[in-house]
Amino acid sequence: MRWIRPLSARTGESAAVIGAKAHGLVTLHRLGLPVPAGFVVTTEACRAFLRDGRLPGGLADELASAVRDLEAATGRRFGGPGTPLAVSVRSGAGVSMPGMMHTVLNLGLTAEAAAGLAAETGDVRFAEDSRRRFLASLAAATGDARLAIPGDPAAQLELAVRTVFASWDTPRARTYRELHDIPHDLGTAVIVQAMVYGNRDGRSGTGVAFSRDPTTGENTPFGDVLFGHQGEDVVSGRSLTLPLRELAGREPAVWAALAGALRRVERHYRDACYAEFTFQAGELWMLQVRPGGLTGGAAVRVATELAGEGLISRREALLRVSPQQLRHVRTPRLAASARAAVVARGVGACPGVAAGRVATSTEAAVRMAASGPVILVRPETSPHDMRGLAAAAGIVTARGGPASHAAVVARSMGKPAVVGVAGLVVGAGSVTAGGRVIEEGALVTIDGSGGEVALGSAPVSTDEAGPHLRRLLAWADDVSGGDPAGDEAARLAAAHAALRTP
């Protein structure tokens, strides 16, 4: 059995074999978009590892062969001192599990290779920062800060593959799968790609982009960007991101290439898309793409507008919105009378209103949720907070933007979230916001559309049905003969039933 597949336009396996992330990279290749050279270790290899507790026979030889091909494709030498090749090692299950498994960046930057990178670029600081990031990411992935990292890059790669495979069974990954009804026996693929350095210089950076606003569905690119950083800095929320539109002013060529790429992938998938990208010295590279994932009003708007653009039929538009999603379309907002109680403002990351008692840690959120709703308040969240995120009714973070870990997970769960709250300080057992100390257990209300945090149980108002919802429901009634005065979710469910009847 072959355990490795190349990442190219000719790769034909399904997402079940090579994972959804690699499948998206194959699509990007076919669309002629720039993707770093690489290969993928299949989910079958992961299942064998989980079953036997070791890498399957023959995989080490396949890794060595795949690395030689990567060296030939890039003109670089893995771990070499001249023009060194470093790689990223990322998870990629058949079903998206954002942030739940491990990633290792800059692998292969041995001390000798880092010296070679410094000599090649003339930038010692960049080379040292890249090696530091490699050591930190591998230590974080293995959970051993004192890990003796092998000096041989081939041994480093085998260690990283084992570590990513093992992360499939971490408690946070299992919790995420249980919440989303994902089977535990799928396993994850591992994607290995030549590094593109977002931390190379002032004309380099990284970001995440949605082809349409994931909160409103508006047809405009939306996301976060960081200059002079690598990808984990955006997702973690530890660094202050900039709105994606800042890219247009600082790197217009990269912006134009990204906007064009988003249009191409949206037309291919016939859906709004999410993408991750890096740019090095003014050159764009695409790292990931996946379609869909919008909720509530955004899903309704995108479905109806795509139908209006002729990309999908009305039938497809109706089936893309679930009755459950429709229940969240009329977005609750803090009423005008609640404004006096607002103590902090940030970025609305997932629409809706949630009220609950403040919990400042995952452990507190899980414990307190047994007796009522809680709002998890953290400096930022990470995969280690998965149990607290699952237990909370809403999420607030001091740092991060619309594509941070907290925001992405909140949208996947449909939970109101406010991120990037300036001046919010989270301590042990209390938070400080707007100059006021709020003790753990105090009641607050958050507005995931407006990005507001209010003290107490604040009054709420609900949006009227907008034109996109009215249009979708009219289509539903045309299909089912439903009653325009009836329950909205029931009208859509009736249309679904009619469309699925042979």
Side-chain angles (χ1 to χ4, degrees):
M1 176 178 284
R2 289 189 305 119
W3 304 112
I4 289 178
R5 307 289 191 275
L7 285 174
S8 76
R10 296 183 299 277
T11 303
E13 280 84 354
S14 69
V17 176
I18 63 173
K21 189 176 295 180
H23 199 264
L25 292 171
V26 169
T27 297
L28 292 172
H29 272 293
R30 291 174 179 169
L31 292 174
L33 295 170
V35 179
F39 58 88
V40 57
V41 187
T42 65
T43 58
E44 296 164 314
C46 179
R47 290 192 292 272
F49 171 84
L50 295 173
R51 182 187 64 240
D52 302 332
R54 62 180 184 275
L55 294 181
L59 178 55
D61 290 340
E62 286 193 48
L63 283 170
S65 176
V67 166
R68 288 193 295 271
D69 290 342
L70 198 52
E71 289 176 325
T74 61
R76 294 180 167 273
R77 182 181 171 193
F78 190 40
T83 51
L85 168 67
V87 299
S88 62
V89 182
R90 299 186 294 161
S91 64
V95 180
S96 178
M97 295 173 53
M100 292 301 112
M101 290 176 285
H102 294 317
T103 294
V104 179
L105 299 180
N106 307 340
L107 187 140
L109 279 185
T110 62
E112 185 181 36
L117 187 63
E120 177 190 3
T121 62
D123 191 337
V124 174
R125 182 208 61 78
F126 156 65
E128 290 179 344
D129 177 58
S130 298
R131 175 164 164 77
R132 177 191 60 78
R133 287 172 178 268
F134 157 57
L135 297 174
S137 66
L138 187 54
T142 60
D144 185 356
R146 293 180 292 183
L147 175 71
I149 295 176
D152 175 26
Q156 293 175 0
L157 181 55
E158 290 186 27
L159 172 60
V161 171
R162 289 197 303 271
T163 300
V164 174
F165 279 164
S167 70
W168 173 261
D169 261 346
T170 58
R172 64 176 182 263
R174 294 189 71 87
T175 297
Y176 186 91
R177 291 197 295 273
E178 288 163 2
L179 288 169
H180 293 271
D181 295 322
I182 300 171
H184 290 305
D185 60 357
L186 298 181
T188 182
V190 174
I191 299 104
V192 180
Q193 289 179 281
M195 278 301 305
V196 179
Y197 295 102
N199 61 327
R200 173 63 187 89
D201 54 29
R203 296 197 59 209
S204 304
T206 187
V208 298
F210 299 86
S211 61
R212 305 191 184 213
D213 189 318
T215 302
T216 66
E218 182 183 357
N219 187 7
T220 185
F222 182 89
D224 295 331
V225 65
L226 269 174
F227 293 88
H229 287 72
Q230 291 191 305
E232 76 273 19
D233 298 323
V234 174
V235 176
S236 70
R238 290 189 295 269
S239 300
L240 182 62
T241 59
L242 297 172
L244 184 64
R245 60 180 177 273
E246 294 289 325
L247 189 58
R250 288 186 53 171
E251 288 294 333
V254 174
W255 169 257
L258 177 63
L262 292 173
R263 287 192 296 270
R264 292 184 72 176
V265 297
E266 184 172 283
R267 295 194 73 82
H268 170 80
Y269 284 110
R270 300 181 308 129
D271 202 352
C273 293
Y274 165 88
E276 296 180 7
F277 65 93
T278 288
F279 51 102
Q280 179 178 320
E283 184 177 5
L284 175 72
W285 295 89
M286 302 296 289
L287 304 181
Q288 182 178 353
V289 65
R290 63 173 181 262
L294 305 188
T295 60
V300 170
R301 177 170 180 173
V302 169
T304 55
E305 290 190 351
L306 288 174
E309 294 166 23
L311 287 177
I312 63 175
S313 65
R314 289 185 179 184
R315 180 184 189 278
E316 289 176 285
L318 286 166
L319 291 174
R320 283 190 181 183
V321 181
S322 71
Q324 181 63 30
Q325 285 179 312
L326 214 58
R327 294 187 175 93
H328 300 286
V329 169
R330 293 180 183 273
T331 309
R333 299 290 306 272
L334 286 181
S337 58
R339 300 300 181 229
V342 172
V343 293
R345 287 182 170 83
V347 177
C350 186
V353 170
R357 294 178 297 149
V358 170
T360 59
S361 69
T362 280
E363 293 73 19
V366 172
R367 183 183 69 253
M368 294 165 59
S371 57
V374 299
I375 304 297
L376 179 63
V377 184
R378 301 285 296 141
E380 70 270 336
T381 66
S382 77
H384 297 290
D385 292 306
M386 195 61 224
R387 291 186 306 121
L389 293 165
I395 302 151
V396 177
T397 64
R399 297 188 284 271
S404 64
H405 178 267
V408 171
V409 173
R411 281 193 294 271
S412 75
M413 295 181 172
K415 297 188 176 187
V418 179
V419 300
V421 180
L424 176 66
V425 179
V426 183
S430 68
V431 301
T432 302
R436 302 183 63 164
V437 176
I438 304 171
E439 298 293 336
E440 188 163 74
L443 183 64
V444 297
T445 303
I446 68 170
D447 182 340
S449 296
E452 297 160 319
V453 181
L455 290 177
S457 179
V460 174
S461 62
T462 303
D463 291 342
E464 294 296 320
H468 301 96
L469 177 57
R470 291 195 296 270
R471 186 176 305 129
L472 187 78
L473 290 173
W475 295 347
D477 294 338
D478 287 344
V479 167
S480 67
D483 178 7
D487 175 77
E488 292 169 350
R491 291 160 66 190
L492 182 59
H496 282 196
L499 289 169
R500 288 173 174 148
T501 299

